[in-house]
Amino acid sequence: MDPTFEPIIKVEDYTFYYPDSQVPALAGINLTVRPGEFLGLTGPTGAGKTTLALALNGIIPHFQGGRLAGRVTIAGLDTAATPCARLAGVIGSVFQDPEAQLVAETVEDELAFGLENLAVPREEMRARISAALEMVGITDLRHRPLRQLSGGQKQKVAIAAAIALRPRILVLDEPTSELDPRGSLEIVNLLERLNRDYGMTILLIEQKISLLAPRVPRLVCLHQSRIVADAAPRQVLGQEKLVAELGLEVPPVTDLFRLLSRAGVYHGNLPLAVDQGRRELDRLLSHESP
Amino acid sequence: MPARSFLHELNPLTKIAWSLAVITVAFVFQQPLPLLGLWASVLAVALAGKVLKEILPAIRGLLIFAAIFILFQIFLIQEGNTVFTLLPGSGFGRVTDVGLTACTMLALRMLAMTSTIPVLLATTPPKDMIVAFVEKLRVPYVYALMLVTSLRFIPTLQEELGLIIQAQRARACDLESRNIFRRLRAIVPLALPLLLMSVQRARTMAISMETRGFGAGPRTSLRTSTFQTLDLGVIAGCLFLTAALVIIALR
């Protein structure tokens, strides 16, 4: 690890109980993320993924009460001691339901909402809205009413609205769960681009491993409120017991090669996407037939 | 966005002033005919603003409401000459000429007064309404936002209700029974999911607003609320007409 990179997200021994609950929603979480990382977070429903997202953007403890222990530090700010509004300029959040998280009537007003809250002057607001729309690639939607947009377009608007506040981190809680395959793919491609071209730190919570695995260098698995794996997707998906226990939806091509390697036919890295798999298969077949 | 008509271009407060003018005039006239004329003028404004078609469902609802209103009132007024009786000879369900005029007058007054609201809503983006309230009337932002957000969610709720109705029908839930009690009881399996979904949605929205700095303190606004010459003209016209009509009615 490069020592000059201060961690941008630091979660230390974090435990959280929702009010009136005897079971922790998060238990002893330790997580360090460096600037510019693209991190995938997965795990079964109820594992604590959403709770972790809420702990990062300060909703816990400012909006959602409960018992907690440990510390979350975002870009040097302790979330428990920093108001949500101050965190808004550091960490942007996108949620599952494309309908419920949008508050305005038109795309432009939606992007303006956060900027208005933070009292950005009008001229700068216009410039920032234009910049955010361009980064997300939806400049043509600027004056459209939100009601007319598709789910995927609405999620892009939600991302642009978060980006307009110029956060250093973007946390997305299952942004594709209500989208069709094409819309989902567009969203993850967009995130990949934001990470690569703008160096934005991204934490993507996602159940669809086949979307996540080929794109993120690091995959964290939550299970029953704890982190049970934190490694490259290839290594995580190679652990058969873990995959079975968590019911992770492994991409079929990865599954095929896992079977091949168990049969002793294949010895290389597990491919995570179809094109990698085809290449490996070509190589394998050309070795087979002398 | 290009404005669709002069009504869309007006400041929301100008339209509210028009609405208040209509209400004032509706109160000073006591005869059905001028009130019918007033209601026609409201519909004419809607037609000129190209929103008459859009507001027709709302007008239909108001008409039904007015009919119920008449039905409840008309048998209660006893003075005047009998026009007809529901059960001839028994005196039950007597309708008098005075009652008929009074009820028609009240119904038309209500129609004229309330018909301006759908016109206002159909021609004003909610955001403009917030800005006008906050900037010109000094209404606190939170109240203006609450009002407008509740309006915004009406179509979403309608969509959701449609979904729930289909889901409950698919499970053979009887929603269209002729029995009035069964029909009332059928509201529960519709209202409960709708309520739960709305609470969930409200929570998500609150969190989403919170993560974008809502309530951080003083805020700025992308748009401003301005009064143009057209606004001033319309307000002056409304004032003049209202004054003239009040004088005519009270003479």
Side-chain angles (χ1 to χ4, degrees):
Chain A
M1 196 186 289
D2 190 334
T4 57
F5 275 134
E6 281 290 309
I8 195 162
I9 298 176
K10 204 167 172 193
V11 184
E12 295 160 277
D13 297 322
Y14 197 79
T15 300
F16 179 76
Y17 293 83
Y18 280 100
D20 305 320
S21 174
Q22 300 305 313
V23 188
L26 292 173
I29 300 290
N30 280 292
L31 183 69
T32 306
V33 181
R34 284 171 294 126
E37 267 197 89
F38 188 1
L39 190 75
L41 181 66
T42 195
T45 307
K49 305 186 296 290
T50 298
T51 310
L52 184 57
L54 297 180
L56 293 180
N57 56 30
I59 292 297
I60 297 174
H62 295 293
F63 187 79
Q64 168 69 59
R67 280 183 294 141
L68 66 86
R71 233 158 84 100
V72 177
T73 318
I74 300 292
L77 301 167
D78 184 343
T79 56
T82 315
C84 273
R86 172 93 174 76
L87 288 169
V90 182
I91 182 163
S93 309
V94 176
F95 304 93
Q96 203 170 340
D97 186 344
E99 185 69 35
Q101 63 183 311
L102 302 176
V103 297
E105 287 275 308
T106 69
V107 174
E108 188 176 46
D109 290 337
E110 186 63 41
L111 265 68
F113 177 75
L115 297 169
E116 291 175 340
N117 286 335
L118 299 182
V120 174
R122 191 168 292 142
E123 277 319 303
E124 193 189 333
M125 216 185 288
R126 291 221 172 82
R128 283 221 216 167
I129 290 171
S130 306
L133 289 172
E134 202 175 314
M135 275 170 80
V136 176
I138 51 169
T139 305
D140 52 321
L141 300 182
R142 183 166 188 152
H143 298 290
R144 290 274 295 278
L146 288 168
R147 203 174 304 160
Q148 291 177 2
L149 303 186
S150 71
Q153 285 172 324
K154 280 184 188 159
Q155 283 300 43
K156 284 187 187 172
V157 172
I159 292 173
I163 285 178
L165 302 179
R166 301 215 175 123
R168 299 177 61 194
I169 312 160
L170 210 51
V171 176
L172 306 99
D173 187 1
E174 303 199 33
T176 71
S177 68
E178 294 188 15
L179 305 185
D180 58 16
R182 187 178 162 179
S184 305
L185 199 63
E186 277 182 26
I187 294 294
V188 286
N189 285 340
L190 165 65
L191 295 175
E192 197 175 22
R193 198 161 55 74
L194 290 174
N195 172 257
R196 189 186 59 217
D197 296 354
Y198 299 95
M200 195 168 275
T201 309
I202 292 178
L203 197 157
L204 174 59
I205 299 176
E206 183 61 74
Q207 301 244 29
K208 299 171 193 157
I209 304 273
S210 43
L211 278 180
L212 211 51
R215 289 177 178 82
V216 295
R218 182 178 166 196
L219 185 63
V220 174
C221 288
L222 269 177
H223 184 43
Q224 293 174 348
S225 319
R226 288 167 200 285
I227 291 180
V228 290
D230 182 354
R234 203 164 264 130
Q235 284 164 328
V236 175
L237 299 181
Q239 301 177 42
E240 279 187 50
K241 231 182 90 188
L242 183 84
V243 167
E245 196 185 350
L246 271 63
L248 295 183
E249 172 227 337
V250 178
V253 61
T254 313
D255 224 21
L256 172 68
F257 278 84
R258 212 174 52 186
L259 289 174
L260 288 175
S261 66
R262 201 199 296 169
V265 182
Y266 180 71
H267 302 288
N269 284 330
L270 289 177
L272 300 169
V274 175
D275 56 336
Q276 292 171 11
R278 204 174 49 203
R279 241 177 288 131
E280 290 298 309
L281 212 54
D282 276 346
R283 216 161 51 88
L284 207 59
L285 291 175
S286 60
H287 276 291
E288 286 282 299
S289 50
Chain B
M1 237 185 322
R4 281 166 50 214
S5 76
F6 76 97
L7 264 190
H8 293 80
E9 249 176 284
L10 286 178
N11 189 294
L13 295 180
T14 308
K15 285 177 259 189
I16 289 175
W18 164 68
S19 192
L20 290 174
V22 170
I23 290 173
T24 312
V25 173
F27 266 115
V28 294
F29 279 99
Q30 309 284 345
Q31 304 84 30
L33 212 59
L35 288 169
L36 184 67
L38 184 66
W39 185 41
S41 83
V42 172
L43 297 184
V45 168
L47 184 67
K50 296 175 192 157
V51 287
L52 187 58
K53 222 177 181 175
E54 213 173 305
I55 65 164
L56 269 186
I59 300 292
R60 197 174 302 137
L62 289 171
L63 272 172
I64 292 171
F65 195 71
I68 295 173
F69 182 79
I70 290 180
L71 215 61
F72 269 93
Q73 283 284 323
I74 199 147
F75 299 113
L76 298 176
I77 297 171
Q78 293 298 323
E79 57 181 307
N81 303 317
T82 306
V83 177
F84 73 92
T85 1
L86 217 53
L87 292 173
S90 69
F92 174 78
R94 203 167 76 95
V95 175
T96 68
D97 53 354
V98 175
L100 212 55
T101 318
C103 285
T104 317
M105 190 269 286
L106 286 174
L108 281 172
R109 179 183 280 172
M110 190 208 79
L111 278 174
M113 276 162 45
T114 48
S115 294
T116 57
I117 296 168
V119 177
L120 180 72
L121 293 181
T123 56
T124 315
K127 171 89 182 191
D128 287 1
M129 203 120 57
I130 296 190
V131 174
F133 282 174
V134 173
E135 273 190 20
K136 294 283 189 281
L137 295 185
R138 308 264 160 225
V139 172
Y141 173 73
V142 181
Y143 293 114
L145 182 76
M146 260 196 295
L147 174 76
V148 164
T149 313
S150 52
L151 291 177
R152 185 185 96 81
F153 270 95
I154 292 172
T156 313
L157 285 178
Q158 276 170 339
E159 235 167 70
E160 223 147 68
L161 182 65
L163 218 67
I164 295 170
I165 289 176
Q166 283 176 15
Q168 298 292 39
R169 257 195 209 137
R171 298 185 220 170
C173 182
D174 182 12
L175 302 175
E176 278 133 10
S177 169
R178 296 225 165 169
N179 183 326
I180 184 91
F181 292 106
R182 256 199 223 163
R183 200 152 178 179
L184 280 178
R185 218 186 311 153
I187 292 177
V188 177
L190 297 184
L192 208 61
L194 192 64
L195 185 72
L196 291 176
M197 280 165 100
S198 309
V199 170
Q200 179 64 38
R201 182 152 281 176
R203 192 186 135 80
T204 306
M205 190 172 205
I207 289 177
S208 156
M209 285 164 69
E210 212 57 41
T211 60
R212 281 186 284 158
F214 180 70
R219 57 199 310 283
T220 49
S221 175
L222 179 65
R223 302 194 203 173
T224 50
S225 182
T226 50
F227 280 106
Q228 294 162 323
T229 333
L230 186 63
D231 288 292
L232 299 176
V234 170
I235 291 175
C238 282
L239 273 176
F240 177 75
L241 273 175
T242 309
L245 288 170
V246 166
I247 291 168
I248 291 172
L250 295 181
R251 265 202 12 216

